[in-house]
Amino acid sequence: MTGHVPPRGGSAASQGLHRAVAALGERGPLAEQMGPYFGEFGGRFVPEALVAALDELDTAYHKALADPAFGAELERLHRTYTGRPSPLTEVPRFAEHVGGRARVFLKREDLNHTGSHKINNVLGQALLVKRMGKKRVIAETGAGQHGVATATAAALLDLDCTVYMGEEDTRRQALNVARMRLLGAEVVPVRIGSRTLKDAINEALRDWVANVETTHYLLGTVTGPHPFPEMVRDFHRVIGEEARAQLAEETGRLPDAVAACVGGGSNAMGIFNAFVDEPDVRLFGFEAGGEGIDSGRHASRFSGGAPGVLHGARSYLLQDSDGQTLPTHSVSAGLDYPSVGPAHAWLHSLGRATYRPVTDTEAMDAFALLCRTEGIIPAIESAHALAGVLALGPELDSWALDHDPLILVNLSGRGDKDVSTAAQWFGLLEEDV
Amino acid sequence: MTDIGRGSAARLHALRDQGRAALIGYLPLGYPDVDGSVDAALAMVDAGVDVVELGVPYTDPVMDGPTIQHAVEHALAAGTRVRDVFGAVERIAASGAPVLVMTYWNPVLRYGVGPFARDLAAAGGAGLITPDLIPDEATEWVAASDEHHLDRVFLVAPSSTPERLAMTAAAARGFVYAASTMGVTGTRAQVGDQAERLVRDTRAAGADLVCVGLGVSTAAQATQVAGFADGVIVGSALVRALLDATDAAAGRRELARVAAELAAGVGSARG
């Protein structure tokens, strides 16, 4: 299913993009790039003890891809359990605040079972776990969305489940801790290092090294050693493919821009992937700008980071001059991570996608705006993408379009988990007596 | 195989000729501070450690258990810098013991692989042990270590396939580090029999020297491992001696006591 692309002259920038995509196309579509390397990024910087398991996973994954029964089972689960296809919602009252006659459509991953896009990848990997004959899954979680999705799939498919979560995050996201425990998962608070997502990943990797024979590490994003970046992207492809078809049906066109928040980058990669080989479609990834880049309290890898290795892959990384990982900050636990998927670093280096920081305040303002204009409470992660789109308003003219700008936003999760953070932020609670 | 100079292989061969395995002792740079870690390493050598493994503190040590994590976190909080490793290596190497630096890969990448190799060689270091760098990703390090005649100690694990054992043995220089068990550093009640099998398989895959680490903490375990490996690598048990002490001097005394016990254990392995 493809959208109709009207011919047009386009700006100098868009002609540059055309050339970049055309040159790259000679090496095959960007959307089909396979690991271990995405340009100079990716790889496998892991202990030797894990290599056999990564090879086993790679083999199982490619076997499953070639097996129609696997695809059919995943499709059935998505239809009957996840609730796919997720709707596409036009948000005209929100779009008025973007200006420039923009039309804005939200891809409603927030309406998936468990409340975010994370379930797409989790169900795919959990089916692979069954095929590999393993009985136990472990996962890391920041905001708790991936942990909840993993605990859910483990309950559904009868797997033992342990979720590692930084102690700081177990406090910020207490409700999700309870959800995971209700679903039968063991939640282990991690009390070492910065006690956030990166330390939860360290602990999950240590568990995996010790238990790799019986255990699968169900990694939640497009980071980590090969084959995780390509495999997790592929399990999220469905987001962009559905959105492209839905938007074509609504408008008869491709979007002029696609926007998503980027923590590890799985929801962004999932929606970008359907458009990455379309030179007329601008791709925007919005990172956590925290209290501002100058404050040093942020998680904007492309604004404040440099290439380096963390958790198995070479990518952009927030690090000091010694190569030590820097502490990060974001109002959103799900974007609070010092590295980013290697394929994003690759798209950045090619100039194919643009990555910009969005501050805590900008994100929370956009969060409130969507609540009030459209009756949708977004995850604070997704609110970063909304804020990024609001800031695009003034530059829409420079796109030199012959039609009203069409912007597609991945609304990657719902904000139920963030209600207490938002209530505090906006002072919505009665004063304590 | 016939590497000359400061490499660890010459020492391991000399010990093998005496019918003895080497005791390789790990300590992190910067615990309790940089000078204190140098003093501790020298005390360990005096007590019978043959080869020193000096760890560069790193924020995300995924192959280390709680004991080493704790010491490393302290070393970083105390302001230890990566560049401090070169001066420390120089002072420890002056004792005559080969000094290998154990480091996760990102600090080396950030410093520059070539410059790191150059400065380590200039300080008299023997080479690197790289827990999260497999030979598949080591092209730049292989070239730099060739240029500066440094050991490159890669790890093998009980999960390694015969093909990977052969590839790793061929890429290594100095010795191959066999992980006794699937897991991270830390003390364990016993050394499993998979360690002996892994040493045998790694030798059969072409490795000349194979040393065993992870989970070796007592003299009895050292005796057992020294019976089938070219070296016994001990970390957490030595670090624990420093961590539990009330002050630095007491820590060094306890460290020396543990090191001497381990050395006696290694020495009693073969006639």
Side-chain angles (χ1 to χ4, degrees), chain B residues 231-258:
Chain B
V232 181
I233 307 168
V234 180
S236 296
L238 298 167
V239 176
R240 175 54 55 198
L242 294 182
L243 284 178
D244 287 347
T246 47
D247 60 58
R252 278 197 301 280
R253 280 195 302 276
E254 178 61 9
L255 174 72
R257 193 190 63 76
V258 173

Side-chain angles (χ1 to χ4, degrees), chain A residues 91-104 369 373-374 390:
Chain A
V91 285
R93 296 192 64 224
F94 177 84
E96 280 175 27
H97 296 264
V98 177
R101 301 174 55 86
R103 292 180 73 187
V104 177
L369 185 66
T373 55
E374 302 289 349
L390 288 171

Side-chain angles (χ1 to χ4, degrees), chain B:
Chain B
M1 212 121 93
T2 52
D3 267 348
I4 41 140
R6 64 184 102 72
S8 57
R11 178 65 53 95
L12 264 60
H13 278 138
L15 288 167
R16 184 197 264 176
D17 291 345
Q18 299 166 26
R20 190 174 176 282
L23 175 61
I24 302 171
Y26 165 94
L27 287 178
L29 173 72
Y31 189 88
D33 52 38
V34 172
D35 286 345
S37 61
V38 170
D39 291 343
L42 291 171
M44 185 169 81
V45 171
D46 274 348
V49 162
D50 301 295
V51 176
V52 173
E53 178 187 350
L54 186 65
V56 174
Y58 176 54
T59 41
D60 297 278
V62 296
M63 273 298 280
D64 287 306
T67 302
I68 291 176
Q69 285 176 43
H70 186 89
V72 158
E73 209 170 32
H74 175 102
L76 287 172
T80 307
R81 300 295 308 270
V82 169
R83 61 172 180 260
D84 294 333
V85 78
F86 305 112
V89 164
E90 193 165 3
R91 289 157 66 193
I92 299 166
S95 70
V99 184
L100 288 159
V101 169
M102 192 294 283
T103 180
Y104 291 90
W105 199 235
N106 199 52
V108 178
L109 271 184
R110 190 68 168 159
Y111 194 90
V113 177
F116 198 99
R118 178 198 64 209
D119 293 351
L120 181 61
L128 291 182
I129 299 174
T130 53
D132 63 349
L133 185 75
I134 53 177
D136 318 49
E137 301 286 359
T139 311
E140 198 181 358
W141 166 232
V142 167
S145 51
D146 278 345
E147 183 184 344
H148 296 283
H149 309 288
L150 291 167
D151 286 352
R152 41 180 186 261
V153 177
F154 295 111
L155 277 70
V156 292
S159 61
S160 301
T161 59
E163 294 74 28
R164 291 197 61 80
L165 291 181
M167 188 267 288
T168 306
R173 180 161 50 202
F175 60 89
V176 173
Y177 186 134
S180 72
T181 181
M182 295 299 288
V184 297
T185 59
T187 58
R188 285 177 182 78
Q190 49 198 14
V191 177
D193 51 358
Q194 49 188 5
E196 186 165 2
R197 195 177 334 124
L198 180 58
V199 169
R200 200 170 52 232
D201 292 349
T202 306
R203 287 199 179 117
D208 174 30
L209 295 163
V210 184
C211 301
V212 169
L214 292 195
V216 186
S217 60
T218 66
Q221 289 170 336
T223 305
Q224 181 197 346
V225 171
F228 58 79
D230 298 294
V232 181
I233 307 168
V234 180
S236 296
L238 298 167
V239 176
R240 175 54 55 198
L242 294 182
L243 284 178
D244 287 347
T246 47
D247 60 58
R252 278 197 301 280
R253 280 195 302 276
E254 178 61 9
L255 174 72
R257 193 190 63 76
V258 173
E261 238 177 61
L262 289 162
V266 169
S268 69
R270 302 176 205 173

Side-chain angles (χ1 to χ4, degrees), chain A residues 109-110 146 204-205 253 306 308 319 323 339 348 355 362 410 432:
Chain A
E109 293 297 296
D110 60 317
H146 175 59
L205 285 168
R253 289 205 280 119
Q319 55 183 324
S339 189
H348 169 79
Y355 297 87
E362 290 165 337
N410 196 10
D432 286 337

